[in-house]
Amino acid sequence: MISWKSGKQRTVARSSTEAEYKALADGTTEVIWLQYLLTDLQVPSVSAPTIWCDNLGATYLSANPIFHARTKHVEVDYHFVSDRVAKKEIQICFVPSRDQLADVFTKLLPVASFTAFRFKLRVDPPLSA
Amino acid sequence: MCRLHKSLYGLKQAPRAWYTRLSDFLLSIGFRASKVDTSLFILSDGTNIFYLLVYLDDILLTGSNSAMLHHLIQLLSSEFKLRDLGVVHYFLGIEVQSTGMGLMLCQHKYILDILTRAGMTSCKPVDTPVSPSIVILLPDHSFSDTTRFRQIVGALQYLTFTHPDICFAVNRVCQFMHAPTDSHWAAVKRILRYLKGTTSYDFHITTGSSFALHGCTDVDWAGSIDDRKSTGGHLIFFVRR
């Protein structure tokens, strides 16, 4: 893992899809910056980066931005995600909530799942212990 | 009024003057400045590549050819007074240890410092950094020592570099830097108690051969009780496909 962030969004979202879509936009900006950095470091890029999202609505919206009553108010700048998807620079895939790794950055978790997430983040007790 | 011929240590302009001098020299020996990160310099001659990362007068240098790397250090030391500390094991307060699989980062000493400053060296450890029972949003008595609150929380922010597990918890208390209350301080103490139990934990970065970028994003919709804004988070992996 090389980059992570947790933060409160600046605007109130009217639906979970809208909130997920905004988070997707934030994640995408970071991925794009990392891509620039890798190009600069002359690391050959393998394929378009994948971003996993646990909201079907947001996944569909990024592939096909249809504007109906529930999504047409989403600010224009967030739609740069679908722009990047259309250019095949990134791909957005759906992942079921139980396999969602970013959970630990957004909510309070019970001990068992917190410990499991911590293991996946590669924060481990020292080897000798 | 006097006019200085060269910059003095401690002046407001000193860091800038130093950066210009260093970058001018680096550019003259063939490095190019990275466009996406101003503190990164890259030198490549087709077969070999070298990276140089600057944080004021702390410099990290790495590359694909050790003989040329040595030559570069010689070049730098002919221009600047420097100390070659060999393989990195301490950079900007972060302890670095190389394992066979990659790198291991930790801030053990830093955690102990924070615990000492907060007077929590002998507290009882807990398993998670966020307590379900502390509702931190209700307005209650404002915390008396706001400076102390800000100092400790600020110190915790620097710790998230090697402790992504407390990222959410620290961000939550950071939202109340302007007006902390007793319950916010309780939340900070909860993080410190969690750190007490995980002081010796390390953060691992592993290596591999071919890589791809993977991201995960998630939100807690309308999670904030007082303004119903959502909390978002993402993490990005640079991993083997």
Side-chain angles (χ1 to χ4, degrees), chain B:
Chain B
M1 196 195 286
C2 302
R3 186 190 158 90
L4 287 171
H5 289 293
K6 61 188 261 199
S7 191
L8 288 178
Y9 185 83
L11 279 186
K12 202 167 81 177
Q13 295 87 349
R16 187 182 156 79
W18 159 244
Y19 178 79
T20 319
R21 172 139 152 65
L22 181 70
S23 65
D24 283 351
F25 177 72
L26 290 174
L27 296 178
S28 77
I29 59 169
F31 275 95
R32 67 181 169 83
S34 165
K35 286 190 196 76
V36 292
D37 187 343
T38 44
S39 55
L40 177 69
F41 292 86
I42 301 153
L43 173 69
S44 92
D45 61 355
T47 46
N48 294 308
I49 185 154
F50 301 91
Y51 306 131
L52 189 138
L53 198 62
V54 183
Y55 187 83
L56 283 182
D57 53 357
D58 288 329
I59 296 173
L60 275 183
L61 177 64
T62 185
S64 54
N65 181 320
S66 58
M68 276 182 74
L69 202 61
H70 203 72
H71 176 66
L72 278 175
I73 296 173
Q74 292 275 306
L75 260 179
L76 276 170
S77 65
S78 67
E79 180 74 13
F80 305 103
K81 200 173 123 193
L82 66 81
R83 220 153 36 109
D84 179 10
L85 297 172
V87 177
V88 61
H89 40 227
Y90 200 72
F91 190 65
L92 304 179
I94 298 170
E95 294 155 52
V96 185
Q97 215 178 321
S98 177
T99 60
M101 312 270 287
L103 289 178
M104 206 171 78
L105 307 180
C106 65
Q107 289 169 293
H108 298 170
K109 252 171 60 191
Y110 187 72
I111 297 178
L112 293 176
D113 280 352
I114 301 176
L115 289 176
T116 316
R117 263 163 63 189
M120 305 258 303
T121 40
S122 49
C123 63
K124 205 171 127 226
V126 281
D127 286 333
T128 58
V130 189
S131 160
S133 62
I134 303 174
V135 180
I136 65 169
L137 299 149
L138 297 173
D140 61 357
H141 302 290
S142 58
F143 184 58
S144 53
D145 197 347
T146 47
T147 313
R148 180 144 168 256
F149 181 89
R150 288 173 193 148
Q151 278 171 347
I152 300 289
V153 174
L156 286 174
Q157 265 182 306
Y158 191 61
L159 193 61
T160 57
F161 283 116
T162 61
H163 266 280
D165 46 335
I166 60 164
C167 195
F168 169 66
V170 172
N171 180 271
R172 221 163 73 121
V173 290
C174 278
Q175 292 165 15
F176 306 98
M177 288 287 237
H178 60 292
T181 66
D182 284 345
S183 57
H184 301 145
W185 180 243
V188 172
K189 286 211 285 202
R190 169 81 183 199
I191 302 175
L192 293 172
R193 284 177 62 198
Y194 168 75
L195 287 172
K196 168 79 181 168
T198 55
T199 309
S200 62
Y201 281 44
D202 303 308
F203 176 54
H204 297 263
I205 297 177
T206 43
T207 55
S209 48
S210 102
F211 291 106
L213 284 172
H214 276 272
C216 285
T217 64
D218 192 23
V219 287
D220 181 25
W221 179 47
S224 168
I225 294 168
D226 43 25
D227 56 8
R228 286 294 167 200
K229 283 181 183 164
S230 317
T231 304
H234 66 249
L235 71 165
I236 297 162
F237 285 96
F238 184 49
V239 287
R240 206 191 298 247
R241 254 267 202 270

Side-chain angles (χ1 to χ4, degrees), chain A residues 41-60:
Chain A
L41 295 175
Q42 302 184 4
V43 177
S45 60
V46 194
S47 54
T50 314
I51 299 180
W52 303 88
C53 169
D54 65 356
N55 183 290
L56 267 179
T59 319
Y60 291 151

